[in-house]
Amino acid sequence: MKRRSVLKSIGGIGGLLLAPSISFGSSSHEKKPVLRIAHLTDIHLKNHLDAPARYTKCLHHVQQQSPKADLILNGGDIVFDMNKEQLSTINDQWKLTHHILQQECSIPVKYCLGNHDIWWDESNKGQAIYGKQYAMDQLHLSNPYYSFSKNGWKFILLDSVHLDIDGTWYIGKLGDAQFSWLENELKNTPSNVPVLIMSHIPILTATLMIEDDIVNKWQMLGGDMHTDTAKIIKLFYQYPNVKLCLSGHIHLRDKVVYNGVTYICNGAVSGAWWNGNKRETAPGYGLLDLYADGTFDESYVNY
C-alpha cells in the first residue's frame, strides 16, 4: 500500500490530524463543564530565539480564554535542555521559567517531567541532583509521578522517561514500581470518577508514521512512544473510567481513540523549538472542557 493511501486510511478512521486549531470535541454540550484545562507541553524555555516573549504571549493567550482555564497541565520539557549541560546553564533556564510564571501567570500549574528536564551527564552521577532530582526540587515534587483530584475528575501524572538498558539514553516506560502504583491508583478510584492521565512521552500515537522517504517500513524508537504500551492499554481496558490520555514530546498534534480511551498528543508551545512549525503543526496548546459524566470537548489552539 502506498504511503499516501495509508495516511488517508488512518485519517478516515479519525485517528490522525495535523491541521492546527481544529477541534476534536467528543460531543456538543449545552451543560456547563466542571473544569477547563489548558495543556501546555514542550515549552523548551531559554533566553534565545525570543522564547521568553513568545512563552509570555502563550500564557496571556491562555488566560484570555473565556471561560478562563482553571488549571494548566504542563506536559514536560519545561526548560530548553538539561542533558549534559553545565549547571550554570541549567540554573539560568530554571530562573527564567520561574520568573515568567511568577510575573505572567495566575493559573495554577501541575507538571510532569520531560526528557529535557533531566540532568544526564555521566560525569556527574555522584552528585545529589543527578537525574530527575534537580527538576523535582525546582517543581517542589517529592515524587516524579503522582495523582490528585479536582471537581470530580481524577488526574494521574506519570513519569514516562527512564534510562535505556545501556544507561546512556532514555526510553518511554513506567517500570515495575510505577506500574504497580498506577494499578493501585485505578483500583482505588471509584468507577464513577472519570480519569485523565498525562505523560510526556505518548502512550499511543500515530505521529510516528509522519516521516519522509519511507520505502518499506516505519522505524519507531523506544524514546518516541512508550515501550510498555500493550501492558498499559490492557490495564486501562479493565477500568472504563479512564477517559483521556494527554502527551507531547513529538511536537505534532494527533488523536487516537482505542478501546474507549482517547489518546491526544498535542503540539508544542515552542513549535519546532522556537523555529516555526514542526511540519504542519504550529505552536500551540490544548484546551479541554471536562464534564461530570466523563465526557469532554477539546481543541488545539494556536496563539
Side-chain angles (χ1 to χ4, degrees):
M1 183 181 288
K2 293 183 179 180
R3 174 177 172 80
R4 182 177 296 175
S5 299
V6 172
L7 293 180
K8 184 177 180 181
S9 174
I10 295 170
I13 297 171
L16 178 64
L17 183 67
L18 292 178
S21 297
I22 295 180
S23 174
F24 280 133
S26 59
S27 60
S28 60
H29 294 271
E30 294 182 0
K31 57 188 176 183
K32 185 179 179 181
V34 295
L35 203 60
R36 174 165 267 205
I37 302 293
H39 177 226
L40 279 62
T41 186
D42 297 271
I43 295 162
H44 291 283
L45 186 64
K46 68 175 179 178
N47 197 10
H48 187 55
L49 297 173
D50 204 28
R54 294 180 183 181
Y55 180 36
T56 298
K57 179 183 177 182
C58 178
L59 290 171
H60 290 177
H61 198 276
V62 172
Q63 292 169 100
Q64 289 164 4
Q65 290 288 343
S66 181
K68 186 176 179 180
D70 303 293
L71 179 68
I72 291 174
L73 293 178
N74 186 313
D77 284 358
I78 302 158
V79 295
F80 191 82
D81 190 26
M82 288 178 57
N83 296 320
K84 306 180 189 299
E85 281 286 0
Q86 296 293 321
L87 189 55
S88 59
T89 300
I90 295 169
N91 287 338
D92 288 344
Q93 291 178 16
W94 280 99
K95 286 178 182 177
L96 181 60
T97 294
H98 294 317
H99 174 75
I100 290 178
L101 284 171
Q102 289 168 1
Q103 296 296 316
E104 308 294 345
C105 184
S106 61
I107 302 173
V109 185
K110 295 285 188 179
Y111 298 89
C112 69
L113 298 182
N115 52 294
H116 288 276
D117 304 320
I118 301 170
W119 194 29
W120 281 336
D121 186 341
E122 286 74 20
S123 63
N124 290 286
K125 287 184 177 180
Q127 296 195 30
I129 60 172
Y130 174 78
K132 300 171 184 175
Q133 192 59 53
Y134 182 104
M136 288 169 58
D137 289 346
Q138 292 292 317
L139 300 172
H140 305 290
L141 297 178
S142 58
N143 206 45
Y145 52 90
Y146 58 100
S147 68
F148 65 94
S149 296
K150 189 174 179 66
N151 292 20
W153 277 68
K154 177 74 168 283
F155 295 82
I156 298 177
L157 278 57
L158 298 176
D159 175 20
S160 57
V161 185
H162 298 270
L163 280 174
D164 205 342
I165 55 175
D166 62 2
T168 60
W169 204 229
Y170 67 90
I171 59 173
K173 66 176 185 178
L174 297 181
D176 292 340
Q178 186 178 184
F179 185 86
S180 295
W181 173 85
L182 174 60
E183 194 171 24
N184 287 328
E185 283 289 314
L186 294 177
K187 187 183 300 181
N188 294 323
T189 301
S191 60
N192 63 339
V193 174
V195 177
L196 183 155
I197 292 175
M198 182 172 69
S199 61
H200 178 67
I201 296 176
I203 295 172
L204 182 64
T205 180
T207 60
L208 303 184
M209 290 182 285
I210 310 301
E211 294 290 347
D212 294 320
D213 303 319
I214 300 299
V215 176
N216 184 33
K217 65 178 71 174
W218 286 275
Q219 182 181 25
M220 297 185 183
L221 302 177
D224 291 338
M225 189 172 81
H226 266 253
T227 56
D228 50 1
T229 297
K231 187 177 180 181
I232 295 173
I233 284 175
K234 184 178 180 181
L235 175 63
F236 290 168
Y237 190 66
Q238 301 173 48
Y239 298 96
N241 55 329
V242 177
K243 300 298 184 182
L244 180 60
C245 294
L246 300 177
S247 68
H249 186 54
I250 311 297
H251 294 220
L252 297 177
R253 157 76 171 175
D254 83 342
K255 176 183 181 181
V256 176
V257 181
Y258 186 70
N259 284 345
V261 181
T262 301
Y263 299 84
I264 294 173
C265 181
N266 270 317
V269 170
S270 64
W273 298 271
W274 303 112
N275 281 295
N277 294 3
K278 172 70 181 293
R279 291 189 176 270
E280 298 83 7
T281 302
Y285 60 92
L287 191 63
L288 303 99
D289 289 317
L290 308 182
Y291 297 87
D293 62 359
T295 57
F296 59 89
D297 291 315
E298 64 87 27
S299 60
Y300 183 66
V301 181
N302 303 134
Y303 62 89

